[in-house]
Amino acid sequence: MALRDRWPSRTAFIYAAIGSAVGLGNIWRFPFLAEKFGGGAFLIPFLIALFVAGIPLLILEFAIGQKIQKGAVDSLASIKKKLSGLGWWALFTAFIVISYYVVIMSWSLIYLFASFGVQWSEDPESYFFNNVLQISESVDSIGTIVPAVFIGLLISWILIYFCVWKGVRSVSKVVMWTVPLPIILLFVLLIRAFTLDGAMIGIVEYITPDFSALFDTEVWIAAVSQVFFSLSIAFGVMIAYSSYNKKGSDISKNAFTVGIADTVIAIIAGFVVFGTLGFMAEQQGVAFDEVVASGPGLAFIAFPQALSLMPFGTIFSILFFITLFTLAIDSAFSLVEAVNIVISDKIKMKKQYIALIVCTLGFLAGIIYTTNGGLFILDVVDHFVTNISLIVIGILECIAVGWIFGAKKMRSYINKVSDFKIGAWWDTTIKYIIPISLAVILALQLKREFVENYGGYPDWAILIGWGVVLVPLAIAFSIPQRTVKSTT
Ligand code: PHE
């Protein structure tokens, strides 16, 4: 049997895992969730979800991949044959996420070029919707492909291909640059934000807790799905990456390092965004609430607008969109690599070809989001996948390891290889606390879905949402299973 590829060093693995975790979720999703759910109050459920569910599950995924030395499908199948279905489901979900994730990268590329001359400065909102997206009135009219977004998508995919084409060998070289660079740029933007007049208005808004938000179940649902999305768990990505570690590598210290780095970067991104928007509120003499837009509008409307108001706006805009793009690319190729590894576990084919096929399919799947109605579809798909599929996959992973493999057995492996020993709390967390709390969250979420259509979309769009959850699920569990022997 051919020897498995390996990370050249522990640093390469940590960089790659941090690169996967830190992405659009940190700089685009986290700040707008924090804003939407009462500023500093969102931090509390977020941190609780991080320590109670996020890090223990990250430990679990690192342990599965590293112990069994396979991608998600074969790793889970070696615990129990039927579980290969869970692996496939995680994988299909990763594929769906990557198909729209790269479209957001394409918007960032367009903005990077538009930064020369700060082309949106006249009317940032109209620039985003009418010039960049050329959006239709509603999801009912899909329209045609928007050329610039399509070309941006193609360029992004070509870049992604060259990051993953040699598997872990190319990835480990790329991450040495693409992980530190945006983090350094983020610090530059942080200093810029703090030195702007009015920054404090935004920062106060960000860190002032609104404790009433804690009693809102929606906040908890959002916090948990944000933790999952941001740590790249339940996609098979972290299983794939850790399977390139040697069996004796540390697990728990790595998981804490990645989890905490990801959180610190999200919190810093929050300061950058809120500080900069505070400056804009002061410039325009309006209340803070009036300058913030939620959702995609934050990174592509409000923030660019603030950039256009500051001295050297062009330079800071370029820096911001390079940051956004390079933060996202490591996440994007980690998703691709998770898919590639499963294929290369199954069939003998050169890495370059597998990567080429997966990247081409990902590009083709993304075309739907480059249409005039693309943003609506993206919104629906993202909502269903992150709020339903991920939660169910999380519950099933806990059952697989906690109950079928045995939490205690896994923990004794983890402690054998790790400097930092984890206690029996981990078993309780994996066996009871996470699955039960996720089940409650899922029930609440399902109730909401059935009370009213998400985002007021028509029934057929909601049906697509259910489709991206249920069709992959059905296919995943009908793929014939074969017994996989673990290399243990
Ligand atoms: N964690 C990434 C982010 O926050 C997104 C991602 C999800 C990447 C799942 C890989 C797997 O942007």
Side-chain angles (χ1 to χ4, degrees), residues 20-26 97 101 229-232 235 237 331 334-335:
S20 171
V22 178
L24 297 171
N26 301 60
V97 171
Y101 200 85
F229 186 83
S230 193
L231 290 185
S232 311
F235 293 90
V237 169
S331 306
S334 72
L335 285 158

Side-chain angles (χ1 to χ4, degrees), residues 15-29 31 101 105 108 175 177-187 189 229-230 232 261-262 265-266 268-270 272-273 299 319-335:
Y15 271 38
I18 292 180
S20 171
V22 178
L24 297 171
N26 301 60
I27 197 162
W28 166 66
R29 217 159 176 270
Y101 200 85
M105 290 172 62
S108 324
V175 292
W177 295 95
T178 51
V179 175
L181 176 78
I183 297 179
I184 294 169
L185 293 181
L186 200 61
F187 275 98
L189 292 167
F229 186 83
S230 193
S232 311
D262 181 59
I265 293 170
I268 291 179
V272 172
V273 170
L319 290 186
F320 178 70
F321 288 106
I322 293 182
T323 309
L324 206 58
F325 190 84
T326 48
L327 274 181
I329 198 165
D330 317 276
S331 306
F333 63 66
S334 72
L335 285 158

